[in-house]
Amino acid sequence: MASFMLMTLICVLTWQQSRGQQFNSSEGDNQRGPRTQFPLLTGPNVCGGRINPRCCPGWSRSSSVGLCIVPLCQYGCGTGECFSPGVCRCPNGAFSPSCSGVQVEGQQCTVICFNGGTCVKDTCVCKEGFSGNFCEAPICQEQCVNGGRCVGPDKCACPYGFTGDRCQQDYRLGPCYTEVRNRMCHNQLQGVVCTRLTCCASIGKAWGNPCERCPAKPEPCDRGFLPNFRSKACQDIDECKAIPKICSGGRCVNSIGSYRCECPTGKKLDNDLQKCVDRDECTEIPGICANGRCENTEGSFACICQEGYKLNNERTFCISANEAFCYQRIVNNYCVDQSPTNMTKYDCCCSERTPAGWGPLCDKCPGNGTAQHSTLCPNVTIPTASPPDKNECASDSSLCSNGRCLNTDGSFRCECTRGYLVSSDGKRCNNVDPCTQQGVCVNGRCFSTKDGFTCQCRRGYTLSSDRRSCIGNIHTRMRI
């Protein structure tokens, strides 16, 4: 390689001198001084063709001959020299991407130490945070997860879709499913795109494309809660805000660790799709439209009565349209205490007045609990919307100790005083461990104490004036 480079340089210089003589000859004729510019870029390591010639990547133009014969080394060669693109020849004869290793004065080493390592008798002594025969391997005290790669002391390079100190936070977005059947994902929540953690910690049984089954027990928090990666505490998921279009067609009400969908009258919750759909009253409500025909409509229903019948006041079933007097008592098979006006047999016998008979033939009203009474007086109940909200803060004084209880629609939440965090169940305010707070004891270890915390600094660091973190001293910063 070296001999080839030398021959190339000799040939280039010879060619350049001959070209220079031609230029000088013509310049002498014109009585001008020597030109400093070079002819059109040619020679070795030229890219771009004749239209836009330039030095190929890894090469630069020589200032003396104007050819692309000067190699470039991206990381620098220190005390060595750049031998070829990206390759240094170090003083000890070794070839390496750089000659950044440090040698002890007065000693000769045959190895190159990277990342600030020191060579002592052909052995590398690595700085804190690196290991390996040549200090080439960074150390991560906590292993990188989700395909992350350790690229520096306690520093992970994360693949797309992951972040965090250990690549533990998954921010990929995908569909959420509420059922896994026959190893297939079913009941995709329409219009819902969320993270895997949000899906699996709330209502999902599977997530993503391709589909991934959710764990039986979410980690590190229970279902309905998400971890706060700064405070390490588990916080309630507001599913109504975190999952778009949940409880579609109704109203979503968040609660601690869960939520509920309130559907309007005429609709019901589809547990698989988690949205309010039309209720088919004709098939779901016993006794609906008795003595007639039921027709389901969006959000309601309609009874079509057979001939001779009409709708009751609630319009839920049909009653006989015939009217006659109603009687309060029967004496010796005769009806007495006649009503002042005519009415239907239903209005007579099914009223709270407990009448005895009805009509010109003194038909006895059937007793409660009998089959005849159930036929004449159907008990049809139409489901209605949810009842009004309950004020949990007013009914339970033990909620949110060391804080303030705030009533919300369908639930409540705690606002804790300074130094306290909401518990995982959302019902109390617990004392905060100061060592879990961000920025505490940086470059050292934190130990909780009765009065707060104390920092134990790493080697080369001293405690800051506010005693909350560790800073590098001047000698350490200069040596690094």
Side-chain angles (χ1 to χ4, degrees):
M1 179 66 178
S3 61
F4 171 74
M5 293 290 292
L6 181 59
M7 289 298 294
T8 301
L9 182 59
I10 292 174
C11 293
V12 168
L13 289 174
T14 303
W15 173 79
Q16 182 65 24
Q17 288 173 357
S18 65
R19 296 284 290 176
Q21 290 173 358
Q22 295 176 10
F23 291 140
N24 290 337
S25 176
S26 62
E27 289 166 357
D29 294 340
N30 296 328
Q31 297 180 353
R32 294 179 181 177
R35 295 183 180 181
T36 57
Q37 66 179 15
F38 295 106
L40 184 67
L41 186 62
T42 58
N45 308 314
V46 175
C47 298
R50 294 184 178 181
I51 298 178
N52 183 27
R54 61 187 182 277
C55 292
C56 295
W59 295 93
S60 66
R61 200 169 184 177
S62 169
S63 60
S64 59
V65 297
L67 299 178
C68 301
I69 57 175
V70 180
L72 298 175
C73 291
Q74 179 180 359
Y75 302 105
C77 293
T79 57
E81 61 177 345
C82 190
F83 179 74
S84 63
V87 178
C88 297
R89 181 164 56 191
C90 300
N92 59 1
F95 293 94
S96 173
S98 67
C99 301
S100 59
V102 181
Q103 297 181 355
V104 177
E105 185 177 358
Q107 295 185 0
Q108 295 295 325
C109 290
T110 60
V111 297
I112 299 297
C113 304
F114 297 98
N115 298 309
T118 303
C119 179
V120 179
K121 295 181 181 180
D122 292 339
T123 300
C124 289
V125 178
C126 302
K127 289 177 56 179
E128 184 179 359
F130 294 92
S131 65
N133 294 334
F134 307 102
C135 305
E136 76 283 2
I139 299 174
C140 290
Q141 298 293 341
E142 294 187 80
Q143 184 179 2
C144 304
V145 297
N146 294 317
R149 183 168 54 91
C150 185
V151 295
D154 293 327
K155 183 178 181 181
C156 297
C158 304
Y160 175 77
F162 297 91
T163 186
D165 296 337
R166 301 171 48 240
C167 307
Q168 75 277 16
Q169 299 180 36
D170 184 351
Y171 63 87
R172 296 174 298 163
L173 298 178
C176 188
Y177 303 88
T178 60
E179 184 180 2
V180 178
R181 188 172 64 251
N182 298 328
R183 303 182 65 180
M184 297 288 290
C185 296
H186 298 273
N187 298 330
Q188 176 182 343
L189 296 179
Q190 298 301 317
V192 174
V193 178
C194 58
T195 65
R196 182 178 186 272
L197 186 58
T198 301
C199 173
C200 294
S202 54
I203 63 176
K205 297 296 189 298
W207 171 91
N209 186 16
C211 180
E212 302 175 16
R213 182 188 289 268
C214 292
K217 183 182 183 301
E219 292 290 346
C221 300
D222 293 335
R223 186 173 292 275
F225 297 88
L226 283 177
N228 185 314
F229 290 102
R230 290 186 177 182
S231 65
K232 309 300 182 183
C234 292
Q235 296 181 332
D236 171 58
I237 302 174
D238 187 346
E239 292 87 353
C240 301
K241 295 180 179 179
I243 305 176
K245 297 186 179 180
I246 195 171
C247 300
S248 175
R251 187 167 68 105
C252 180
V253 179
N254 185 58
S255 59
I256 301 301
S258 185
Y259 71 101
R260 75 174 187 270
C261 293
E262 292 184 350
C263 298
T265 301
K267 293 193 175 185
K268 65 176 182 178
L269 178 65
D270 187 315
N271 290 316
D272 293 331
L273 301 179
Q274 288 298 299
K275 68 177 184 179
C276 296
V277 297
D278 177 58
R279 179 188 298 276
D280 188 353
E281 293 88 352
C282 298
T283 59
E284 296 180 11
I285 302 177
I288 193 81
C289 295
N291 302 310
R293 176 170 53 89
C294 181
E295 289 187 356
N296 187 56
T297 60
E298 182 65 29
S300 186
F301 67 97
C303 292
I304 311 299
C305 297
Q306 63 189 30
E307 187 175 356
Y309 287 80
K310 67 177 183 178
L311 287 172
N312 68 330
N313 292 334
E314 291 78 20
R315 307 181 69 83
T316 55
F317 53 88
C318 301
I319 60 177
S320 175
N322 294 329
E323 293 186 354
F325 290 110
C326 182
Y327 300 94
Q328 291 298 312
R329 294 185 303 145
I330 297 178
V331 178
N332 297 324
N333 293 325
Y334 287 95
C335 289
V336 295
D337 295 340
Q338 175 181 299
S339 62
T341 59
N342 289 336
M343 62 183 67
T344 65
K345 189 174 183 179
Y346 170 82
D347 291 332
C348 174
C349 295
C350 299
S351 67
E352 297 178 355
R353 298 188 300 270
T354 62
W358 172 87
L361 299 181
C362 193
D363 296 337
K364 288 185 178 181
C365 291
N368 286 332
T370 62
Q372 294 84 353
H373 186 273
S374 299
T375 302
L376 178 63
C377 310
N379 184 17
V380 178
T381 302
I382 306 298
T384 58
S386 301
D389 175 60
K390 173 186 176 183
N391 189 337
E392 292 85 356
C393 298
S395 59
D396 189 350
S397 59
S398 65
L399 294 175
C400 304
S401 56
N402 300 311
R404 185 163 64 104
C405 180
L406 298 177
N407 186 58
T408 61
D409 192 2
S411 185
F412 68 96
R413 62 183 175 90
C414 295
E415 281 191 356
C416 300
T417 55
R418 188 174 182 179
Y420 291 83
L421 283 178
V422 180
S423 60
S424 60
D425 61 5
K427 297 181 179 180
R428 301 179 306 278
C429 293
N430 295 332
N431 190 20
V432 177
D433 181 359
C435 291
T436 63
Q437 304 302 300
Q438 188 179 28
V440 173
C441 294
V442 177
N443 299 316
R445 294 182 61 188
C446 179
F447 296 91
S448 296
T449 63
K450 181 179 180 181
D451 299 324
F453 67 94
T454 182
C455 296
Q456 182 180 20
C457 297
R458 296 192 316 191
R459 186 177 62 182
Y461 292 85
T462 57
L463 196 62
S464 62
S465 58
D466 61 3
R467 309 183 70 82
R468 293 181 59 85
S469 61
C470 300
I471 57 177
N473 56 45
I474 298 177
H475 174 71
T476 301
R477 290 199 294 268
M478 292 179 63
R479 180 170 60 84
I480 294 175

